Amino acid sequence: MDSVKIVLDESRIPKAWYNIVSDLPVPLAPVIHPGTKQPIGPDDLAPLFPMDLILQEVSTEREVPIPEPVRDAYRLYRPTPLYRARRLERALDTPAKIYYKYEGVSPAGSHKPNTALAQAFYNKQAGVRRLTTETGAGQWGSALALACRLFGLECTVYMVKVSYEQKPYRKVMMQTWGAEVIPSPSTRTNAGRGILAKDPKSPGSLGMAISEAVEDAATHDDTKYSLGSVLNHVLMHQTVIGLEAKQQMEMAGDYPDIVVGCIGGGSNMAGLAFPFLADKFKGKKLRVVAVEPEACPTLTRGDYLYDFGDTAATTPLIKMYTLGHTFVPPAIHAGGLRYHGDAPLVCLLYHHKYIEAVAYQQRAVFEAAVQFARAEGIIPAPEPAHAVLKVIQEALQCKRDGTSRTILFNLSGHGHFDLQAYEEFLTGRLEDYAYPQQQIQQAVRELAAIQP
Amino acid sequence: MDSVKIVLDESRIPKAWYNIVSDLPVPLAPVIHPGTKQPIGPDDLAPLFPMDLILQEVSTEREVPIPEPVRDAYRLYRPTPLYRARRLERALDTPAKIYYKYEGVSPAGSHKPNTALAQAFYNKQAGVRRLTTETGAGQWGSALALACRLFGLECTVYMVKVSYEQKPYRKVMMQTWGAEVIPSPSTRTNAGRGILAKDPKSPGSLGMAISEAVEDAATHDDTKYSLGSVLNHVLMHQTVIGLEAKQQMEMAGDYPDIVVGCIGGGSNMAGLAFPFLADKFKGKKLRVVAVEPEACPTLTRGDYLYDFGDTAATTPLIKMYTLGHTFVPPAIHAGGLRYHGDAPLVCLLYHHKYIEAVAYQQRAVFEAAVQFARAEGIIPAPEPAHAVLKVIQEALQCKRDGTSRTILFNLSGHGHFDLQAYEEFLTGRLEDYAYPQQQIQQAVRELAAIQP
């Protein structure tokens, strides 16, 4: 019988994260203070993050050791399985070999705990008592709630109010792990009170929730803020995915021709792809593909400019492909991919053509997700379902070419909390959102004023 | 670093199920035809089940080989991990060693696919085109939907109407895997039409749904019926859980003093415990504990009598501990434990004191579940949360005794679709249901008339 799952022993959980900054073909553009237009330093970030994470953010070391308590927490779900999608291959009748790394086995159901656990550990070590963060549908908030519980920190999650009311299950998950979940905008912060004064019925937005979480952290000495994607250290923590996958591909006697990941902020794709890109920098032949929604097509349609990281324009300026921080993406079900920018590391690599990108409509994405679920059993979250569609297209291309290529993708989470979206698709009620060209052009034009 | 997960290689998925019938200290009482009061034979079951499963139902072979296509499907999620609950041990400050076998990694989120896949395979082999079944909240229905999809069968699930309307997520899961889900009572069957004629607004019940699923199968030549617990062959299929756990305990250099499982129909507890009971029959010292809800206390308060397997009184008579088939258990959240009887195999072993039993209220159960989730990360389904409470009590007893005992339990599923119940608990709205003494006494009295 041919193997389906490639399983690593606990002892082979990586002992160090891979820091791609050390291998970059060109250096990252500096992060700029929006007032002074000068590069920011570690001290500028100290009110929000503990120094260990700030130093990781600017580190150029190739390997950063994973502290034993973090590895110990990883062992609750890591190493995650690598699957050979033999049933999907048969269903597609393709000569391609399809592999996927499945991160949905974490208690929070996604890859997000890989960085949440590390961030909780460093904050605890720095004497922090409480972490704040924002969450939309709750994927990131639940990962941080779990991590705070395991490391003995309090956790305050500002959850976009409309999600808090309409999608209560992830809220309950966070509360089960002991987090305080606050519908945002709230009366807890100046930012929230200001918004409510203007619009008492505001449904909230991720931008508003970020403002509240940042203010809460900045105004309390024992409290820091935690972010689930975009930043260098967050992407680095996620490289445990790819570092494990490399060992597992080796056990399978194989190496990918194509690595595929969906992209919202970048941590999912980067987590799997960066350790393979390390080989590409040395000359290995390899395609890396980032898949984004057509409704929020940052890499495929954005401009490479300085922009704020948040919609409220409170963060430093970072250079990235962006649709403009004032652009509000349509309400697609892949909530985790609704971000106006992308991680600076991913953008740099895309700009220099180490990474390809492609954008899809959501109906085609859900069609691929259902096809995957019916072959492999696992029901994908809407975000990695974007990667599934690209994988199926590449596999069908192999069939047309009569060539066997090895395709690896990141199945970063299950869809147990997204079944409403599946129901809309199955009953024909799911709608596509075309490229919102005019709104994006307008939002990008506004960026001219803030370029350094 | 001490090991947390004990992971088996795919090659060590069992090659045969363990049939405890071969080792029983006393023989099982025969299954009786309610009309003739005579033992039934294989032919009586042929309209509903394929002959391979009927022969397994009456088999006395100690080992029944698992067909390769079933093992192949098992490999989508098996072997499942065995966890050492080190974080829970630390939280309880107990000298006890706590292990759990985690079946929530299956695509359906529970242990139910272990038998669903086997049943789908044998039906497919017998030329069956379609399977019918009933489901309450959807745990069993989703397992069978997955299994039918993987083996190329159509699947019709009669889902209790009130669950269909109030708990839509598992319905969508079944539909995603391609099953037809029908709210019961329906106009599809004589049984359903009869119920609707009397009460057009009937919310349905598991008993009604069974009647519809059985009638649908019995009246279509290419269609059979599938049951998710109680029967001998169903429990036997579940022994893959315990057979794997024995290998994993051996890898950990340990052997349980106590094996704990929750009990509704019996397949969860039996699946883990039966392979260990094989050792107990040979003199090994071992306690096996079945945990049931105080609202439906079949073993602890029921009588050992002949009764119908279903509430509609359409099945053969089986000897079991029962609360009477007319007894309707209160609407506790552990829907999978709301069964008036228990598997005849479990009842026989309980009667002869090879198994202990204990019953709990649901608030205490959810308190234990939250404690477990906060220590181990995984949020348990309400059913195995009953086992969690017993495990915590035994661990605390070890602490009082100053003794280290090894405790193993079956964490048969996650609670991703039960978070509403967690919310009720966390907000203080969850209610206990006391032992419904009068209703049970009345229902048991009625059984006198049907005893052979």
Side-chain angles (χ1 to χ4, degrees), chain A residues 2 5 10 75-76 78, chain B residues 2 5 10 75 78:
Chain A
D2 298 317
K5 282 195 309 296
E10 265 186 22
R75 289 189 300 154
L76 286 173
R78 307 209 70 85
Chain B
D2 298 319
K5 286 195 304 298
E10 267 185 24
R75 291 189 300 153
R78 306 210 70 86

Side-chain angles (χ1 to χ4, degrees), chain B residues 176-249:
Chain B
T176 298
W177 285 321
E180 182 185 29
V181 187
I182 297 171
S184 167
S186 76
T187 56
R188 184 76 69 101
T189 63
N190 284 328
R193 285 186 292 269
I195 294 158
L196 288 171
K198 283 183 207 151
D199 177 8
K201 291 190 173 175
S202 167
S205 73
L206 209 52
M208 295 176 193
I210 292 176
S211 305
E212 292 207 276
V214 167
E215 179 187 325
D216 184 342
T219 55
H220 292 91
D221 279 348
D222 58 359
T223 302
K224 298 283 182 193
Y225 169 72
S226 178
L227 197 64
S229 191
V230 178
L231 300 180
N232 298 351
H233 70 272
V234 177
L235 272 56
M236 185 184 75
H237 297 156
Q238 292 293 355
T239 60
V240 287
I241 303 171
L243 292 167
E244 283 181 8
K246 281 181 88 166
Q247 298 180 68
Q248 289 163 309
M249 291 299 290

Side-chain angles (χ1 to χ4, degrees), chain A residues 138-327:
Chain A
Q139 193 93 319
W140 166 243
S142 53
L144 193 67
L146 169 70
C148 285
R149 165 58 53 178
L150 293 177
F151 283 103
L153 289 165
E154 292 180 29
C155 183
T156 304
V157 181
Y158 291 87
M159 185 173 188
V160 176
K161 192 180 276 174
V162 62
S163 298
Y164 181 95
E165 286 164 357
Q166 289 179 3
K167 295 186 174 179
Y169 281 10
R170 281 211 176 261
K171 171 194 74 178
V172 181
M173 196 173 208
M174 295 184 252
Q175 290 167 334
T176 299
W177 285 321
E180 181 186 30
V181 186
I182 298 171
S184 169
S186 77
T187 56
R188 184 76 68 100
T189 63
N190 283 328
R193 285 187 292 270
I195 295 157
L196 289 170
K198 283 184 208 151
D199 178 8
K201 291 191 174 170
S202 167
S205 74
L206 210 52
M208 295 176 194
I210 292 176
S211 305
E212 291 207 277
V214 167
E215 179 186 327
D216 185 341
T219 54
H220 292 90
D221 278 349
D222 57 358
T223 301
K224 298 282 183 195
Y225 169 71
S226 177
L227 198 66
S229 190
V230 179
L231 300 179
N232 298 350
H233 70 272
V234 177
L235 271 57
M236 185 184 74
H237 297 156
Q238 293 292 356
T239 60
V240 289
I241 303 170
L243 291 167
E244 283 180 10
K246 281 180 88 166
Q247 298 180 66
Q248 288 162 311
M249 291 299 291
E250 199 181 327
M251 287 165 72
D254 224 332
Y255 192 91
D257 297 300
I258 312 170
V259 175
V260 183
C262 65
I263 185 156
S267 79
N268 171 328
M269 194 277 292
L272 178 64
F274 278 9
F276 290 96
L277 279 172
D279 298 339
K280 182 164 175 156
F281 295 139
K282 293 181 197 150
K284 185 95 183 172
K285 205 171 153 244
L286 171 72
R287 287 172 58 203
V288 173
V289 186
V291 188
E292 57 188 17
E294 181 73 16
C296 189
T298 314
L299 290 178
T300 52
R301 308 264 201 169
D303 281 21
Y304 196 38
L305 293 170
Y306 271 95
D307 195 0
F308 292 102
D310 66 330
T311 53
T314 62
T315 70
L317 294 169
I318 51 182
K319 189 160 183 193
M320 59 182 178
Y321 282 83
T322 178
L323 305 170
H325 63 274
T326 58
F327 168 63

Side-chain angles (χ1 to χ4, degrees), chain A residues 1-7 10 68-69 71-79 83 87 90 105 107 146 149-150 168-173 175-178 370 373-379 414 416-417 419-420 422-423 426, chain B residues 1-7 10 68-69 71-79 83 87 90 105 107 146 149-150 168-173 175-178 370 373-379 414 416-417 419-420 422-423 426:
Chain A
M1 230 169 18
D2 298 317
S3 182
V4 168
K5 282 195 309 296
I6 296 106
V7 176
E10 265 186 22
E68 274 308 301
R71 286 190 80 223
D72 193 40
Y74 279 169
R75 289 189 300 154
L76 286 173
Y77 62 97
R78 307 209 70 85
Y83 279 86
R87 289 169 189 271
R90 281 201 293 271
V105 294
L146 169 70
R149 165 58 53 178
L150 293 177
Y169 281 10
R170 281 211 176 261
K171 171 194 74 178
V172 181
M173 196 173 208
Q175 290 167 334
T176 299
W177 285 321
V370 169
R374 290 182 177 180
E376 294 288 314
I378 299 168
I379 298 176
H414 60 64
H416 296 173
F417 300 101
L419 288 170
Q420 213 178 333
Y422 277 88
E423 181 162 44
L426 291 168
Chain B
M1 231 168 22
D2 298 319
S3 182
V4 168
K5 286 195 304 298
I6 296 106
V7 176
E10 267 185 24
E68 276 305 302
R71 286 189 81 224
D72 193 40
Y74 279 169
R75 291 189 300 153
L76 287 173
Y77 62 97
R78 306 210 70 86
Y83 279 86
R87 288 168 188 271
R90 280 201 293 273
V105 294
L146 169 69
R149 164 59 52 176
L150 292 178
Y169 282 10
R170 280 210 175 263
K171 172 194 75 179
V172 181
M173 196 173 207
Q175 290 168 333
T176 298
W177 285 321
V370 169
R374 290 183 178 180
E376 294 289 314
I378 299 168
I379 298 176
H414 60 65
H416 296 173
F417 300 101
L419 287 171
Q420 214 177 332
Y422 277 86
E423 180 162 43
L426 291 168

Side-chain angles (χ1 to χ4, degrees), chain B residues 6-47:
Chain B
I6 296 106
V7 176
L8 278 183
D9 187 76
E10 267 185 24
S11 64
R12 296 177 72 183
I13 293 174
K15 294 192 165 63
W17 293 294
Y18 167 58
N19 184 9
I20 201 169
V21 172
S22 65
D23 286 339
L24 287 179
V26 287
L28 271 176
V31 176
I32 298 290
H33 191 287
T36 66
K37 300 281 164 98
Q38 295 301 309
I40 64 162
D43 288 347
D44 293 304
L45 298 171

